[in-house]
């Protein structure tokens, strides 16, 4: 709703209520025959008639003052109309409006004063306010003659004889006299202006009280402003300065609104402008106060308030008094609401006491604004008896804001003092920490000059006190056994600002060396760059680290390189040989009939024998040779040779040393021999594993030729067909690994005794030949296991299947269990276990979805490794199946020791269960034993519906075979349910 319409509607409602009351009073007065008509007795029905009589005010009935706003008659006329013409006008009304008087019109007011008493009545008529432009007053007797006239005109200072606060006319009414009063108003402000008739004595008293209150308020604000300005200069607190500006501007606004300042400077016509400018400065100072109290505040909030202050200044030059008043009221209302809301929003930035005081201060100033608006709408003058309330609330509100500033400063000071005490306490703690910590601490300049060390660091370098340490060690270079390392540390600090966990050799006061770890950070304190560091002794850890590294790369029994480290060194030597075009040869040395010593004298004797034999063989090893223990009774020797004679010479030395070596244990004397296989490095050898497999093959040939023999590997050597076949498949496996020529297949298996929509399948691997043919594992896997390549195939299967599965979210959701075969060498390969753990983490595969299959034979041969492997991954959620169960003679005995979840019944027993009662009994026995141990059973080679039905009746849990599903490529994976639907 438009603001002017709202004001008009509000005033009209009030007038209507007043008029109804007055009509009721007039009716009662007529009923009792009263002859006196007072202003409150106006008849409501005559308000808008053309011929109603002039309102009469009884002078003797005015106890103090009377508001004439609803009694006086109104009429808008042209500006040039004379009083004599106005007196003859009709259509007077009493409908006051907040709308401004039209530019070409003036507003006339009229009423009559009657004195029915026997005494003269002295009255005072006041109209308008400080900002009104012009008011002319005329007093007429019963004959219509002008007996008194007075004028207030801002544009004519000589005519401004009515005082500071608007129009004022003294009226004396004799007994039985009836006087007519006409007021002519020319102003561009609201037509609703205060018009009151006072007893002269009451008016003088109230005016005196008003001046006293005004003086008290001005004095109080002056004292507040002076106090805060002086304390600002002493304390340099910006909020105090802006409060002094706020108090002075508020006082200036008040004095200007009262007309004192315009009159003092002979600028009555600019009263509104002076008041608006003073109010703008007051609000600007209030913004600054809020910014300092609530710091930090939003810049957007500040900009919005600064823009808001432009509104009243702009309207002073572009609009009339009416719109100036509307803009000022709008700005004040918006500003007060903003202040109150800001106090609530930013209350957490200051203490509760200061927040409450500040909020109450602005609440009091909001009450002042509300009272002023209420007085305006009710037509009350500046000297009304309620006019003291704005003074009181103004003084109280400004004072509370000042108290809030002081309270805020006290709170801030208290907080600083508390922080200082806390800082002092923390410094004390840091001092205790610095002096009593077990870690060596120091500070130094960016050039390394020592400034401070703690007792722990001094003790670490052999000093009894920090002072003694600083006398001997002046620079951090003195910490290091090699000063160049100190320069490296300072250089890294200069470029990276921080160094963490660097390890160096230190030098103590007595010259002894030790290892320490140092962490330092470069930072600027004031204008000087310093670095602060800590260091501690890691000598014992370095020794343990060296020992651990040695144990990780050497055989514990003989002290020689172990197989893993030997393969690493062999790989490096092959790479270097390919670059340098040098020759190297690998000797694979296998002790003949070593089992005889173990069986005759025990494993302790066997360990002693291997240890002594290793020392004997080590005597022939040259400095550049690499000698290692590859397994229990096998050694590897890698030599560099220039011609074939070097290989022959080394061979003869080995054979001679072993032949001359005899081993005694108790009453037993053993003379041993060794078989040696030699593989020369050639350009087509791609890996250390391949070269080692060639040497192993040659060693096997040497054993087959009668032991104590030597055989040199060659592609065309006359070995039997089995060796040739193994070597062929070793080559094919290596090629497939290098060319990524394996392919994954899957085969579904199903539950027999329950309905389950999940998918159960086993992952199978095929080797793709160069002609495209796919070979089954039974062709290449034995050779791969023999020549230590099967663990690489296992890694390839796991890596590629996990990679595929991680990209198939729907397959993962429907997956019940996936079986993956693990070969024997992988069970004892620690690297494979690390690889498997990383693969699960890398591809986010749920552990419970994977079941690892281990063949019964390998589980029995590598019992300890199998149990350790199973226990480790069962903790994570994986399950295990024992494959080909029943093929061994001691299957049941070993089953008790293997913590598996499934046994896969050997297919040789399953094929003929319908025709062979022995096979049926074997399957039944395996099922009963597994059930007693809470182990699930899986029947392999289920090739017909009849066999599957029989297995279900027997209680076997799962069936796998061509009857359920044939193996298919994993790349064309189809869920079992979908496969069934397609077949239908």
């Amino acid at each position: 709703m438009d603001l002017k319409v709202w004001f008009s509607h509000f005033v009209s409602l009030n007038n209507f209520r007043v008029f109804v009351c007055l009509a009721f009073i007039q009716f009662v007065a007529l009923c009792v025959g009263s002859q006196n008509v007072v202003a409150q007795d106006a008849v409501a029905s005559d308000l808008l008639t053309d011929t109603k009589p002039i309102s009469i005010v009884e002078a003797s009935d005015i106890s103090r003052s009377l508001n004439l706003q609803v009694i006086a008659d109104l009429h808008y006329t042209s500006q040039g109309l004379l009083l004599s013409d106005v007196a003859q006008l009709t259509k007077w009304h009493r409908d006051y409006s907040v709308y401004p008087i039209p530019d070409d019109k003036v507003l006339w007011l009229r009423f009559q004063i009657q004195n029915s008493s026997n005494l003269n009545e002295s009255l005072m008529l006041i109209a308008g306010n400080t900002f009104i432009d012009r008011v002319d007053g005329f007093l007429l007797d019963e004959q219509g003659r002008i007996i008194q006239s007075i004028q207030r005109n801002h544009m004519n200072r000589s005519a401004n004889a009515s005082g500071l606060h608007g129009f004022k006319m003294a009226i004396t009414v004799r007994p039985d006299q009836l006087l007519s009063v006409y007021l002519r108003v020319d102003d561009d402000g609201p037509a609703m202006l205060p018009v009151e008739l006072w007893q002269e004595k009451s008016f003088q008293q109230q005016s005196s009280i008003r001046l006293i209150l005004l003086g008290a308020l001005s004095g109080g604000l002056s004292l507040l402003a002076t106090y805060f300005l002086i304390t600002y200069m002493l304390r340099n607190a910006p909020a105090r300065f802006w409060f002094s500006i706020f108090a002075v501007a508020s006082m200036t606004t008040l004095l200007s609104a009262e007309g004192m300042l315009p009159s003092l400077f002979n600028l009555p016509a600019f009263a509104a402008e002076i008041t608006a400018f003073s109010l703008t400065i007051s609000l600007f100072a209030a913004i600054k106060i809020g910014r300092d109290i609530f710091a930090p505040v939003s810049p957007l909030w500040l900009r919005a308030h600064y823009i808001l202050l432009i509104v009243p200044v702009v309207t002073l030059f572009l609009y009339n008094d009416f719109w100036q008043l509307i803009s000022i009221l709008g700005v004040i209302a918006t500003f007060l609401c903003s202040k109150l809301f800001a106090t609530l929003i930013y209350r957490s930035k200051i203490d509760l006491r200061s927040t409450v005081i500040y909020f109450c201060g602005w609440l009091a100033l909001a009450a002042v604004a509300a009272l002023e608006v209420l007085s305006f709408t009710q037509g009350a003058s500046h000297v009304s008896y309620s006019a003291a309330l704005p003074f009181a609330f103004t003084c109280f509100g400004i004072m509370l804001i000042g108290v809030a500033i002081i309270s805020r400063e006290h709170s801030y000071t208290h907080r600083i003092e508390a922080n200082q005490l806390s800082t002092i306490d923390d410094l004390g703690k840091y001092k205790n920490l610095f002096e009593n910590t077990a870690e060596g601490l120091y500070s130094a300049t960016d050039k390394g000059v020592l400034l401070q060390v703690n007792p722990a660091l001094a003790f670490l370098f052999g000093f009894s006190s920090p002072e003694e340490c600083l006398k001997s060690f002046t620079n951090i270079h003195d910490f290091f056994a090699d000063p160049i390392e100190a320069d490296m540390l300072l250089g890294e600090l200069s470029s990276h600002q921080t160094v963490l966990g660097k390890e160096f050799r230190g030098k103590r006061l007595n010259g002894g060396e030790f290892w320490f770890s140092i962490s330092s950070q470069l930072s600027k304190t004031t204008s000087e760059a310093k670095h602060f560091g800590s260091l501690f002794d890691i000598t014992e850890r370095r020794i343990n680290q060296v020992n651990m590294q040695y144990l990780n790369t050497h055989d514990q029994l003989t002290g020689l390189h172990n197989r893993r480290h030997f393969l690493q060194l062999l790989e490096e030597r092959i790479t270097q040989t390919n670059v340098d075009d040098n020759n190297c040869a690998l000797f694979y040395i296998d002790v003949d009939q070593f089992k005889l010593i173990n069986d005759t004298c025990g494993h302790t004797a066997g360990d002693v024998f291997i240890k002594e034999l290793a020392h004997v063989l080590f005597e022939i090893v040259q400095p550049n040779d690499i000698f290692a223990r590859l397994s229990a009774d096998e050694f590897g020797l890698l030599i560099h040779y220039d011609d074939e004679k070097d290989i022959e010479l080394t061979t003869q030395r080995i054979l001679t040393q072993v032949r001359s070596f005899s081993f005694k244990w108790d009453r037993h004397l053993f003379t041993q021999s060794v078989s040696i296989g030699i593989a020369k490095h050639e350009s087509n050898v791609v890996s250390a594993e391949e070269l080692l497999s060639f040497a192993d093959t040659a060693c096997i040939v040497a054993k087959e030729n009668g032991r104590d023999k030597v055989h040199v590997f060659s592609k065309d050597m006359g070995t039997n067909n089995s060796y040739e076949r193994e070597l062929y498949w070793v080559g094919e496996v290596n090629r497939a690994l290098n060319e990524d020529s394996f392919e994954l297949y899957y085969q579904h298996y199903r539950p027999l005794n329950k309905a389950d929509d999940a998918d159960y399948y086993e992952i199978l691997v095929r080797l793709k030949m160069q002609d495209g043919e796919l070979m089954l594992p039974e062709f290449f896997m034995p050779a791969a296991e023999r020549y230590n390549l099967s663990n690489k195939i296992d890694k390839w299967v796991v890596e590629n299947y996990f990679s595929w599965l991680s990209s198939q979210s729907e397959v993962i959701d429907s997956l019940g269990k996936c079986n993956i075969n693990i070969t024997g060498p992988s069970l004892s390969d620690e690297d494979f276990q690390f690889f498997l753990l990383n693969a699960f983490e890398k591809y986010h595969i749920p552990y419970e979805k994977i079941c690892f299959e281990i063949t019964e034979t390998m589980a029995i041969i590598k019992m300890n490794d199998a149990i350790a492997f199973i226990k480790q991954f069962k903790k994570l959620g994986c399950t295990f199946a024992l494959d080909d169960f029943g093929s061994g003679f001691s299957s049941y005995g070993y089953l008790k020791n293997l913590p598996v979840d499934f046994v896969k019944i050997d297919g040789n027993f399953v094929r003929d269960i319908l025709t062979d009662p022995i096979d049926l009994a074997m399957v039944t026995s395996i099922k009963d034993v597994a059930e007693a141990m809470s182990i699930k059973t899986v029947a392999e080679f289920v090739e017909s519906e009849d066999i599957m039905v029989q297995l279900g009746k027997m209680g076997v849990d799962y069936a796998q075979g061509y009857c359920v599903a044939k193996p298919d490529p994993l790349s064309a994976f189809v869920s079992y349910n979908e496969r069934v639907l397609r077949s239908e």
Side-chain angles (χ1 to χ4, degrees), residues 138-415:
F138 304 94
L139 188 62
L140 283 68
D141 60 10
E142 291 88 339
Q143 289 77 29
R145 295 173 299 180
I146 298 175
I147 59 176
Q148 186 180 349
S149 66
I150 192 168
Q151 182 187 91
R152 173 185 173 83
N153 187 354
H154 276 159
M155 304 308 296
N156 184 3
R157 284 180 294 175
S158 62
N160 190 23
S162 57
L164 301 175
H165 306 291
F167 175 83
K168 181 171 62 176
M169 174 186 286
I171 301 175
T172 301
V173 185
R174 294 190 298 273
D176 297 326
Q177 188 177 19
L178 180 64
L179 300 178
S180 298
V181 179
Y182 285 83
L183 293 179
R184 180 181 182 273
V185 180
D186 186 5
D187 188 50
D188 58 358
M192 181 178 290
L193 68 159
V195 182
E196 294 179 345
L197 190 62
W198 284 73
Q199 285 286 347
E200 185 176 14
K201 184 177 180 181
S202 297
F203 178 77
Q204 298 298 336
Q205 291 176 350
Q206 194 64 25
S207 297
S208 300
I209 293 173
R210 176 80 173 185
L211 289 175
I212 292 172
L213 291 174
L214 187 61
L217 179 61
S218 301
L221 293 178
S222 299
L223 288 175
L224 278 175
T226 304
Y227 170 76
F228 275 84
L229 183 61
I230 293 174
T231 53
Y232 157 71
M233 291 185 289
L234 296 175
R235 302 169 65 96
N236 193 26
R240 290 181 175 248
F241 169 78
W242 290 113
F243 179 80
S244 64
I245 299 297
F246 176 69
V248 171
S250 299
M251 179 181 67
T252 304
T253 303
L254 184 63
L255 294 177
S256 178
E258 293 293 325
M260 291 186 175
L261 285 181
S263 298
L264 181 63
F265 295 104
N266 293 324
L267 296 172
F270 296 98
E273 287 77 4
I274 296 175
T275 304
F277 275 115
S278 301
L279 180 63
T280 303
I281 295 174
S282 177
L283 296 181
F284 178 78
I287 295 172
K288 292 292 188 179
I289 293 172
R291 185 196 65 179
D292 291 334
I293 285 185
F294 296 118
V297 297
S298 170
L300 184 62
W301 184 83
L302 289 174
R303 294 192 193 100
H305 280 71
Y306 291 145
I307 294 173
L308 187 65
L309 295 183
I310 300 175
V311 175
V313 178
V314 172
T315 54
L316 286 177
F317 300 99
L318 300 181
Y319 299 99
N320 55 28
D321 289 352
F322 173 79
W323 290 110
Q324 292 175 17
L325 177 62
I326 295 300
S327 66
I328 290 175
L329 290 176
V331 168
I332 292 175
T334 304
F335 189 85
L336 290 174
C337 292
S338 171
K339 277 294 180 183
L340 296 178
F341 279 117
T343 307
L344 297 177
I345 293 173
Y346 293 105
R347 66 184 185 279
S348 60
K349 296 184 180 296
I350 61 175
D351 60 288
L352 180 62
R353 180 184 63 184
S354 303
T355 303
V356 172
I357 296 173
Y358 189 77
F359 183 82
C360 291
W362 283 108
L363 202 61
L365 294 181
V368 173
L371 288 172
E372 290 294 335
V373 172
L374 187 62
S375 298
F376 170 74
T377 57
Q378 292 181 350
S381 69
H382 60 282
V383 289
S384 64
Y385 290 97
S386 62
L389 292 176
F391 282 170
F393 279 109
T394 300
C395 186
F396 183 66
I398 294 176
M399 181 185 67
L400 285 180
I401 294 174
V403 172
I405 293 174
I406 296 175
S407 175
R408 163 67 170 159
E409 291 176 355
H410 287 172
S411 175
Y412 183 71
T413 302
H414 177 73
R415 190 178 302 173

Side-chain angles (χ1 to χ4, degrees), residues 863-877:
M863 177 69 73
N864 293 333
D865 293 333
I867 292 175
F869 187 92
I870 292 172
K871 287 183 177 179
Q872 178 178 355
F873 284 93
K874 283 197 72 171
K875 292 178 182 178
L876 301 174

